[in-house]
Amino acid sequence: MRDDTIAAIATPPGEGGVAIVRLSGPEAIAIADRVFRGRTPLRSIESHRLVYGHLVDPATEAVLDEVLVGVMRRPRSFTREDVVELNVHGGRLVARRALELVLKEGARLAEPGEFTLRAFLNGRIDLAQAEATLDVIRAETEAALLAAGRALRGAFGEAVRAVRAALLRLVTRLEVAVDYPEYDEPDVTRAEIAAELEALVGRLRALRGEAALGRLLRDGVPTAIVGRPNAGKSSLFNALAGEERAIVTDVPGTTRDVLEVRLVVGDVVLRLVDTAGIRRSDDPVEAIGIERARKALREASLVLAVVDGARPLSPEDAALLAELRERSAIVVLNKSDLPSVVTPEAVAAHLPSAPVVRVSARTGAGLPALRAAILRVLGLSPEARPEAMATANARHLAALDAALEAVEAARRAAGAGAPEDAVLVDLRQALRHLGAILGEDVDETVIRTIFSDFCVGK
Ligand code: GDP
Ligand code: ZN
């Protein structure tokens, strides 16, 4: 339990119906009592009640505002500490004055995210839930909000805990085998352990897959539009974005900057990048754009390959398509308003795995089909999406990757007949990585970075 009491304005700045000054800590009620005048002092009211009264400056007894005050006694509060919320009239000045009063009476101004940090440190929520708080606040689509809500209620942490429990059971069994070899039944054990490791790898892979989708929902999908000059990349970008954002010209090579637009497709935010076209160039300015385009392509989770459907496929088109074989890609056969020359079969000869969608960036024909294909390729169409999807972030994915790698190493070691303690080293490693998702044994600087993203008062 922290020994100081923190306070902050919990509502956004500006005018509103109500502003809330929140206090948390051992002195929260006592401090609030010194600036509150009501029928009964706050220390004698029941928990989870709102009471009416006045906010006063104790030095002068001057009334600052009418207030409704909520008292949430520990441990039944968000932080598991005593929490007081002063509901004052909305308005910057009133809220600030109320905050100043409680600071003068001994509260300390909270750091960004410090209320949530205390909830985490006091064991009320795990780190993944704390992170999800921010996901809820920042959600840009209905689906992202739902998924963030599930993560906030602990769904993602639960899934991690379930895999961790299975892993822990296996570790315990192996430890027993190491410590009491006389209990060992070699024939059963070897095969069983191999099977359990196999199952664990499968569960971790599935969890990783869901977390990857959860991350796309949370962060948006880095999307690159590629294709040779004049295929219609900028036009498609504009058609999808619904605005003239990129400069469309007839001169090949004029899209020099990499633009990014956040675009909602169904339930997903695409972070769409218009590139300068992937090709060699002697023009240094253009070379910068091309380097950025290459980077955008490398980092993209989705690639829209634009092909001019009204001209024969060029060797350049063919090379680009072949390059996308291992990627989540969609081939956009553009200019469907003109007589078509390129067939989907011709495209499939170079890139058999990708769906091909005919569109006209000029007229907008085919764009709904393209949007549907995007969601399908990502595994995020409403029918295909996991039912209880929760948000996840890059930190979670990195930890899941590391855990998966460790369990795979354990499986290899066990398969090669390594002794139990060797297998255990890898499995304990995996346990640590899964624990880190929930905030166990996590470096303080990591925690600090996570909470520094929060606003004050959260
Ligand atoms: P980029 O170099 O790939 O970005 O191609 P642009 O978007 O700049 O388009 C190149 C040229 O093709 C421009 O003259 C566009 O007007 C034209 N264009 C783009 N999309 C279409 C389309 O769907 N139909 C037709 N007829 N022309 C298009
Ligand atoms: Zn362009």
Side-chain angles (χ1 to χ4, degrees):
M1 206 64 55
R2 309 312 101 182
D3 56 9
D4 57 350
T5 296
I6 54 173
I9 300 172
T11 38
E15 273 179 44
V18 63
I20 296 176
V21 174
R22 180 187 276 164
L23 294 101
S24 177
E27 293 295 309
I29 297 172
I31 290 171
D33 253 340
R34 293 204 280 278
V35 301
F36 175 78
R37 300 290 176 266
R39 239 156 43 111
T40 45
L42 300 171
R43 61 182 167 278
S44 48
I45 68 162
E46 259 178 80
S47 188
H48 294 77
R49 283 287 161 81
L50 273 183
V51 291
Y52 171 83
H54 290 92
L55 192 65
V56 301
D57 182 343
T60 60
E61 287 297 317
V63 173
L64 179 70
D65 196 8
E66 290 181 290
V67 281
L68 280 174
V69 181
V71 174
M72 276 71 67
R73 289 179 201 279
R74 67 166 198 265
R76 283 181 55 221
S77 74
F78 175 57
T79 56
R80 284 205 171 151
E81 303 175 336
D82 284 341
V83 169
V84 176
E85 288 184 355
L86 307 171
N87 294 257
V88 300
H89 282 108
R92 257 191 110 79
L93 194 59
V94 190
R96 222 169 46 213
R97 282 285 291 133
L99 177 63
E100 280 166 14
L101 281 180
V102 298
L103 295 180
K104 213 160 82 189
E105 292 302 319
R108 168 173 69 72
L109 184 63
E111 312 264 338
E114 199 172 357
F115 291 93
T116 314
L117 174 64
R118 287 187 171 203
F120 164 65
L121 292 174
N122 295 329
R124 183 165 175 283
I125 55 175
D126 63 41
L127 193 54
Q129 285 175 291
E131 289 170 301
T133 313
L134 209 55
D135 298 356
V136 169
I137 296 169
R138 305 232 166 118
E140 287 174 274
T141 68
E142 197 86 23
L145 180 58
L146 276 173
R150 285 197 202 96
L152 180 60
R153 290 191 298 279
F156 177 61
E158 283 307 308
V160 172
R161 262 187 214 98
V163 176
R164 191 178 60 158
L167 184 56
L168 194 58
R169 276 195 299 277
L170 181 58
V171 165
T172 311
R173 270 187 69 185
L174 287 173
E175 281 170 345
V176 171
V178 170
D179 292 342
Y180 306 97
E182 62 275 20
Y183 290 150
D184 205 8
E185 311 147 74
D187 347 319
V188 208
T189 321
R190 284 259 165 232
E192 269 185 19
I193 285 171
E196 276 186 40
L197 284 171
E198 194 62 43
L200 276 169
V201 166
R203 286 179 74 173
L204 273 171
R205 284 213 182 114
L207 187 56
R208 200 218 174 264
E210 285 196 18
L213 293 182
R215 186 190 174 196
L216 291 183
L217 263 195
R218 174 190 186 269
D219 294 340
V221 183
T223 304
I225 300 185
V226 299
R228 72 171 150 130
N230 272 326
K233 299 181 295 298
S234 301
S235 305
L236 179 70
F237 178 86
N238 287 332
L240 284 171
E243 278 184 56
E244 283 283 313
R245 287 198 203 248
I247 313 151
V248 183
T249 68
D250 285 324
V251 186
T254 41
T255 316
R256 284 189 169 154
D257 270 354
V258 177
L259 306 171
E260 183 182 296
V261 163
R262 297 178 74 81
L263 174 69
V264 178
V265 172
D267 286 328
V268 187
V269 175
L270 297 188
R271 289 163 41 204
L272 207 58
V273 173
D274 178 39
T275 67
I278 308 285
R279 72 197 127 81
R280 262 182 254 287
S281 171
D282 298 328
D283 177 344
V285 178
E286 196 155 80
I288 295 169
I290 290 171
E291 194 26 62
R292 276 198 243 160
R294 282 246 162 238
K295 184 167 178 290
L297 176 56
R298 267 198 312 276
E299 291 170 1
S301 300
L302 173 70
V303 182
L304 302 180
V306 184
V307 171
D308 185 340
R311 286 156 171 269
L313 273 186
S314 69
E316 219 177 333
D317 289 322
L320 174 68
L321 293 175
E323 213 179 302
L324 298 177
R325 284 200 177 164
E326 305 295 315
R327 310 289 300 267
S328 290
I330 295 172
V331 180
V332 182
L333 270 188
N334 189 32
K335 311 197 187 181
S336 66
D337 54 299
L338 301 177
S340 97
V341 176
V342 184
T343 62
E345 291 71 33
V347 169
H350 303 286
L351 183 58
S353 53
V356 181
V357 184
R358 273 185 200 283
V359 309
S360 167
R362 178 162 290 175
T363 67
L367 290 181
L370 176 57
R371 291 196 176 94
I374 288 171
L375 293 178
R376 258 199 325 278
V377 164
L378 293 171
L380 285 170
S381 41
E383 322 78 68
R385 195 185 302 154
E387 191 134 323
M389 212 170 143
T391 47
N393 62 35
R395 189 184 76 82
H396 305 150
L397 275 181
L400 283 175
D401 280 340
L404 184 58
E405 215 170 280
V407 174
E408 278 172 340
R411 184 180 58 169
R412 274 196 306 278
E420 274 104 353
D421 359 20
V423 177
L424 272 170
V425 171
D426 289 322
L427 292 184
R428 290 202 190 99
Q429 196 81 12
L431 275 179
R432 250 195 315 279
H433 291 303
L434 292 181
I437 294 175
L438 305 168
E440 291 159 16
D441 290 327
V442 174
D443 207 69
E444 203 188 305
T445 52
V446 173
I447 307 246
R448 237 183 250 286
T449 321
I450 289 169
F451 286 95
S452 65
D453 249 15
F454 281 58
C455 41
V456 176
K458 213 28 205 169

